[in-house]
Amino acid sequence: MSIDRADSGRRGVVTLDDVARRVGVSARTVSRVVNDQGGCTPATRERILAAIDELGYRPNLLARGLLTNRSDTIGLVGAEMADPFFTELADGVQRAARELRRTMFFASTDRDAVRQAQVLSSLYGHGVDGVIVFPAAGSEADILATAANGLPVVLVDRELSGHNIAVVNNDLRAGGLLATEHLIRSGRRRIAMATDENTLHDQAGERRQAGYRDALGSAGMAERLVSGANTVDGGRACARQLLASGDRPDAVFVFNDLMALGVLQELGRSGITVPGDIAVVGFDDIAMCDAVAPRLTTVRIDRDRLGRVAVEQLQSLRDRPGGADPVCLDVELVVRESG
Amino acid sequence: MSIDRADSGRRGVVTLDDVARRVGVSARTVSRVVNDQGGCTPATRERILAAIDELGYRPNLLARGLLTNRSDTIGLVGAEMADPFFTELADGVQRAARELRRTMFFASTDRDAVRQAQVLSSLYGHGVDGVIVFPAAGSEADILATAANGLPVVLVDRELSGHNIAVVNNDLRAGGLLATEHLIRSGRRRIAMATDENTLHDQAGERRQAGYRDALGSAGMAERLVSGANTVDGGRACARQLLASGDRPDAVFVFNDLMALGVLQELGRSGITVPGDIAVVGFDDIAMCDAVAPRLTTVRIDRDRLGRVAVEQLQSLRDRPGGADPVCLDVELVVRESG
DNA sequence: CTGAAAGCGCTTACAG
DNA sequence: CTGAAAGCGCTTACAG
C-alpha cells in the first residue's frame, strides 16, 4: 500500500519514471542519459533531455547515494565558522572539490568534542564520501571510530594514523624558524613568543615553538614565552604581559595572525611603535594581515594548496584505505611592515 | 540478485536489520527505539540500545530521507566563505539549527549565478529541508525555480515573493540614518558615503543610502558619494577618491566594515587622523571592528538573531508554504573610536 | 507491544 | 540499444 505523503514537503516531485513514461522508454534508459553512460541513440537521448528540461526533473541524490554508496560529497569540519584561517581554507577546499565535481559541506564543532562526534556522525549518516577535519581538536576516539566505520578522514596538522586516515601537515616548525631567523637578521635581540595557551601541549603550538627555540638556540638567545587565548583578546593579553615585564622584548613571534592583531592593537594603544619599538610577526597570512596598519608580517600557509592536497588525500584514501603517505607542505615568510 | 558492492566504500556497514537480528526482534521495533517513538517494553528497549552500541549502528540518513522526504538538514548559501559577516551569520544559523536538532550545511557561490544554480540544485538533490540564501546576488530565476520545486527558501535583505519563499530584512535604511545622524550630532558637516559599486542599484546599497540621504536632507547637507568594490581594497580606493577631492569631507559612512577597514588603513597611511580629521563609520559590526586601531564605530546587525529568525522563517514555511510574513530586524549603532 | 509487507527513487547485473 | 526485476536501508499503515 502506498505511504501517505500528505504532509510531505515535496509532493508532486518529478521522478525518473515520470520522465521515462513521458518519453516512452524505460527508467534504465533515462538513468543512462542522466549519468552520461552512453549506449543510447542520439535521437532518444535528445528526446529524454528535452523531457527532463520540460518536466524539471532533478535526480534524487539520496536515492542514488543509497544505492551506490557514493554521494560525490565531502565534509569539512572545523572548530569555528568565524575563524578567518579556517574559512579561507574552506574556500580552497571548495575550489578543489568543485574541480572534481564534488559538493563540499562545511560544519563546525565549536571546539567541543561532543559536538564534533555529532557532526561527524551526521555527515557519516548523510553519506559524505569523506571528511577533512581541521583543527582536529576533538577526541581521537571519535575520529578513529569514524574512520573505522568506513568513512575516510583527512587530518590537518595532527599526527594520527590508522585505517582510512590520512594526514596533511604544514611545516609549522620551519615557519617558527623562518620568522625567528628573520627577526634575528633584522637586528632584534630580545625575541619573545606569544603562544596559544590551549595548545601549549598540542602539536600545532609545539611545532611552531620548536622552530622558534631552534633559531634562538643557534643565535645564543634566550626564550621568552607568554601565552593567551587563541583570539584577538588573547593577543591583547599577551601584549600586556610583554609590556609588564622588566626587560621588554624588541620583537614578538605570535602563534597566529588573530592573536597578532590583538598584540598590534594593544601595543598601539600603549604608545609603542611597531616595528620601531617592537617588531611583530604572525602566522597563517589571513586576509586581515594586509588590512591593518602597520601591515602584518607573517608566515604564510597556502590555503589553496592545502585545500587541494587535503582533497587529493581524501581521493587516494578511497583507493588505498590502508593510508596515503603523509604530506608536508612548505610555508613562506611574508615580510610586510610590522617586522 | 544482489548488487555487486565490491568497490563500495562502506561494505560491511551495520544496518537496522543487523541490529534486529542480533536482538531477535523485527526491524520495526528497532526503528521505533532509534526514533524514540515509544511503544516498546523497557527491557526490549535496553537490549536494542545495547546492540546498537555494540554493533556501532548508525542510521542511514539517506534511506530515512528518501522515505520521509525530510532530512533535518538546512542549507545556507552565501557568496563567499571568507566574508566575515557571512561566516558570523553562519554561526548564528548553526546555533539556531542545532537547537532544533537540525544539521546546517554551508555552501558558497562565489557570486556566480551559474554556481548558485549548481549549489541550490545540489542541496535540493541532497534533500535539505530548506535553504537560507544570503546575499542572494544570483539569478532570481534560480531562486524561484528552487522554491517552485518544493524547497522552501528564505532570503535575507532581498524582496522577492512567491510560493515557498520568505524574507528576513535588516533595517538597513534605519542603519544609514543612525550612522549619519550620529555624525551630524558629533559636529561633522561634510559627510561622504562610500558605497559598493556592485550594489549601487541593489537593494542592500540603496537602502543604506536612503537613510544617509534622509539624514543629510533633514540637516540641509549635500550628498557626497564615492564607490568601490565591496572589499578592503575597494575601501582603500574610496579613501583615495575622498582625499583627492578638493573639498575634503570630515566624515565617511561606509557600505560595510570590510570596506571601512580599507578606508581606515588608507587614511592612516596618508597621515590623516581618525577620528580627528575624518570620522569613519562602518556597517555590520564584524569581529574585526574591535581589533583595529582606532576601533571602528559601526552599525550592528545582530547575526545571532538574524540566523535564528531565518531558521524560524524556514520552519514556518513548511507549515504555510504560501508565505510567512516578512520580518524586519532592528539595527543598532555601536560607537567606538573611529567616529 | 510487535511483525510482515510495501515502497521511497534510483542503479545494476542480466536478458533480450 | 533497451527492458523488467531486484534491491540500497529505512519508515509506515495495517494486522495480529
Side-chain angles (χ1 to χ4, degrees), chain B residues 40-294:
Chain B
C40 174
T41 57
T44 311
R45 190 182 142 79
E46 281 313 312
R47 286 169 55 221
I48 290 174
L49 289 175
I52 285 175
D53 209 48
E54 193 181 336
L55 296 171
Y57 168 70
R58 305 263 189 193
N60 183 325
L61 272 27
L62 269 52
R64 180 186 289 169
L66 183 57
L67 211 48
T68 60
N69 239 321
R70 300 207 39 185
S71 61
D72 286 342
T73 279
I74 66 177
L76 175 65
V77 179
E80 279 180 47
M81 297 268 171
D83 178 333
F85 177 81
F86 183 62
T87 52
E88 292 173 22
L89 169 62
D91 261 334
V93 171
Q94 165 118 311
R95 265 188 289 273
R98 186 183 315 167
E99 283 169 23
L100 294 166
R101 312 197 127 270
R102 303 245 174 313
T103 300
M104 184 196 87
F105 292 125
F106 176 22
S108 75
T109 66
D110 283 349
R111 304 182 185 282
D112 181 66
V114 173
R115 184 69 196 144
Q116 175 174 297
Q118 288 169 354
V119 164
L120 287 174
S121 174
S122 169
L123 287 168
Y124 177 80
H126 285 293
V128 299
D129 294 337
V131 288
I132 297 170
V133 184
F134 171 85
S139 131
E140 294 199 347
D142 296 340
I143 294 170
L144 289 169
T146 301
N149 268 331
L151 186 62
V153 177
V154 170
L155 298 170
V156 178
D157 283 331
R158 175 163 182 170
E159 290 303 343
L160 190 66
S161 62
H163 183 78
N164 259 331
I165 296 180
V167 171
V168 184
N169 282 309
N170 293 295
D171 199 342
L172 304 177
R173 186 189 157 282
L177 202 64
L178 283 171
T180 312
E181 286 175 348
H182 166 72
L183 290 168
I184 295 170
R185 263 199 317 277
S186 319
R188 307 290 168 167
R189 289 296 169 261
R190 299 182 306 282
I191 305 172
M193 176 171 177
T195 63
D196 175 3
E197 61 189 7
N198 293 314
T199 57
L200 260 176
H201 303 288
D202 199 27
Q203 300 170 16
E206 277 185 353
R207 284 156 59 194
R208 284 167 171 90
Q209 203 175 324
Y212 162 75
R213 187 186 304 126
D214 292 354
L216 288 185
S218 304
M221 295 177 181
E223 287 182 55
R224 299 154 178 256
L225 293 177
V226 290
S227 68
N230 173 9
T231 59
V232 173
D233 207 50
R236 290 186 193 113
C238 286
R240 283 192 296 268
Q241 289 175 55
L242 294 170
L243 295 179
S245 74
D247 185 24
R248 180 188 292 175
D250 58 8
V252 207
F253 166 50
V254 190
F255 178 78
N256 71 5
D257 292 335
L258 218 49
M259 290 180 75
L261 293 175
V263 170
L264 226 48
Q265 189 195 38
E266 190 68 23
L267 293 179
R269 295 167 72 83
S270 304
I272 308 285
T273 40
V274 176
D277 301 326
I278 300 185
V280 178
V281 178
F283 211 109
D284 288 350
D285 197 24
I286 61 176
M288 278 302 143
C289 292
D290 202 48
V292 292

Side-chain angles (χ1 to χ4, degrees), chain A residues 33-318:
Chain A
V33 169
V34 169
N35 293 292
D36 261 330
Q37 294 174 338
C40 175
T41 58
T44 311
R45 188 180 143 82
E46 281 313 311
R47 285 169 55 220
I48 290 174
L49 289 175
I52 286 174
D53 209 49
E54 192 181 337
L55 297 172
Y57 167 70
R58 305 262 190 193
N60 182 325
L61 272 27
L62 270 54
R64 180 186 289 171
L66 183 56
L67 212 47
T68 61
N69 240 320
R70 299 207 40 185
S71 62
D72 287 341
T73 280
I74 66 178
L76 176 64
V77 179
E80 278 181 46
M81 296 269 170
D83 178 333
F85 177 81
F86 183 62
T87 52
E88 292 175 21
L89 169 62
D91 261 335
V93 171
Q94 164 117 311
R95 264 188 290 273
R98 184 183 315 166
E99 284 169 22
L100 294 166
R101 312 197 129 270
R102 303 241 174 316
T103 299
M104 184 196 88
F105 292 125
F106 177 22
S108 76
T109 64
D110 283 349
R111 303 182 187 282
D112 181 65
V114 173
R115 184 68 197 145
Q116 174 175 295
Q118 288 171 353
V119 164
L120 286 174
S121 174
S122 169
L123 287 169
Y124 177 81
H126 284 294
V128 299
D129 295 336
V131 288
I132 297 169
V133 183
F134 171 85
S139 130
E140 295 200 346
D142 295 340
I143 294 170
L144 290 168
T146 301
N149 268 331
L151 187 62
V153 177
V154 170
L155 298 170
V156 179
D157 283 330
R158 176 162 181 172
E159 290 303 340
L160 190 66
S161 62
H163 183 77
N164 259 331
I165 297 180
V167 171
V168 184
N169 282 309
N170 293 295
D171 199 343
L172 305 176
R173 184 187 158 284
L177 202 63
L178 283 171
T180 313
E181 286 175 348
H182 165 73
L183 290 168
I184 295 170
R185 263 200 316 276
S186 318
R188 307 291 168 167
R189 290 295 168 262
R190 300 183 306 282
I191 306 172
M193 176 170 177
T195 63
D196 174 4
E197 62 190 5
N198 293 315
T199 56
L200 259 177
H201 302 289
D202 198 27
Q203 300 169 14
E206 277 185 353
R207 283 157 58 195
R208 284 167 170 89
Q209 204 175 323
Y212 163 75
R213 188 184 305 123
D214 291 354
L216 289 184
S218 304
M221 295 177 182
E223 286 183 55
R224 300 153 176 256
L225 292 176
V226 292
S227 69
N230 173 10
T231 59
V232 172
D233 207 47
R236 290 186 194 111
C238 286
R240 283 191 296 269
Q241 288 175 57
L242 293 171
L243 295 179
S245 72
D247 184 25
R248 180 188 293 175
D250 58 9
V252 207
F253 167 50
V254 190
F255 178 78
N256 70 6
D257 292 335
L258 218 50
M259 291 180 75
L261 293 175
V263 169
L264 226 48
Q265 189 195 39
E266 190 68 24
L267 293 179
R269 295 168 71 84
S270 304
I272 307 287
T273 40
V274 176
D277 299 327
I278 300 185
V280 177
V281 178
F283 211 110
D284 287 350
D285 197 24
I286 61 175
M288 277 302 143
C289 292
D290 203 48
V292 292
R295 299 186 196 218
L296 188 64
T297 292
T298 193
V299 176
R300 174 170 176 73
I301 293 177
D302 184 340
R303 268 92 44 179
D304 219 64
R305 193 164 41 116
L306 177 55
R308 188 170 312 276
V309 170
V311 171
E312 283 167 9
Q313 288 285 77
L314 214 46
Q315 289 295 109
S316 68
L317 224 34
R318 284 197 81 80

